[in-house]
Amino acid sequence: LSKLQSINNILNNNNNTSENISTSNIIINKPVVVIGAAIMDFIIKVKSKTIMNEATNKGSLRTSYGGVGRNIAESLMRFGCDPLLISMTGTDTNGDNIISHMTQLGMNTSGIYRCSDVPSSTYSAVLDGTGELYCGIGDINIEEYLDNTWINKFTDIIQSSSLVCVDGNIHINIMRHVFNMCYDTGVPIWFEPTCIQKSVKPFISNVHHMITYTSPNIYELMRMNQEMTGHEVDENISNISRDEKVELSISLSQPIIHHIPHILVTLGRDGVLYISRDEGTGFWYPATPTELNINTVINV
């Protein structure tokens, strides 16, 4: 949601404050298509600030409905859009629950492929006591079992959409197919890198120049820069300041911005940095103040 709110604020107001973030419709008239994972999440949070290796850490466990693609589709739905999510689940209890939850929210489930050969995808996240991600373990089947045959059922809506958002979970061959389909008809593509390893898929398949928007975190941006330039990025950012992160992100974006005109770098507690090729500069937006009374977190 913070990514979508920030880009909406940039496009509507071009004002580098977060006080007047609009939650009005971002996309009007034409459909929005999201292609990516729908997953059952298991969130494990350790109570202490640090995690002890080879020891039992006190903590808590909760489940939620996740998957990068599904999360984005739900966020768009909450902004008043009616996105089509193209994804897959198994025919097991987790898959039934994902479909049921989407239906209860009023989301379109016609793009969900139900595969009886594999269980629904799951993701387990381990958070430290501050809420920062320590590690994640994914059992994600969409890369292997979602194919172009299913994608082609939605060719007309993809090619007539106002935006296609693709997360990094899908197979590189599907990514290439979808990107070409959009590029041929002038449909803008938003690539959500998902994780460090998957962030380079468009570069490996040489379709990165077809992307209009991308939203990496700083670690994904470092990996994308490395793939783009061929030079290893040797930066330890664990203890650098917010301003140093912003400066580093702008520097890392320079080789990429020549191919991808809009880059939204998520900096966790340090906010969001929007870098525009047209503007020739970056706009920094602070994170939501922690003193706000947040009643419910849908997902992250």
Side-chain angles (χ1 to χ4, degrees), residues 230-248:
H231 301 297
E232 185 173 351
V233 180
D234 185 19
E235 293 283 349
N236 184 358
I237 65 171
S238 57
N239 295 314
I240 67 176
S241 68
R242 181 198 68 199
D243 290 346
E244 289 173 321
K245 286 182 183 178
V246 169
E247 291 178 7
L248 175 61

Side-chain angles (χ1 to χ4, degrees), residues 4 20 41 64 71 74 87 91 150 196:
L4 295 170
N20 299 312
D41 283 342
S64 64
N71 289 349
E74 180 178 340
S87 186
T91 55
W150 184 255
I196 295 172

Side-chain angles (χ1 to χ4, degrees), residues 131-149:
E132 291 293 326
L133 180 67
Y134 177 75
C135 72
I137 301 171
D139 180 11
I140 301 170
N141 302 310
I142 186 171
E143 187 173 41
E144 299 175 35
Y145 289 92
L146 186 70
D147 59 23
N148 287 334
T149 301

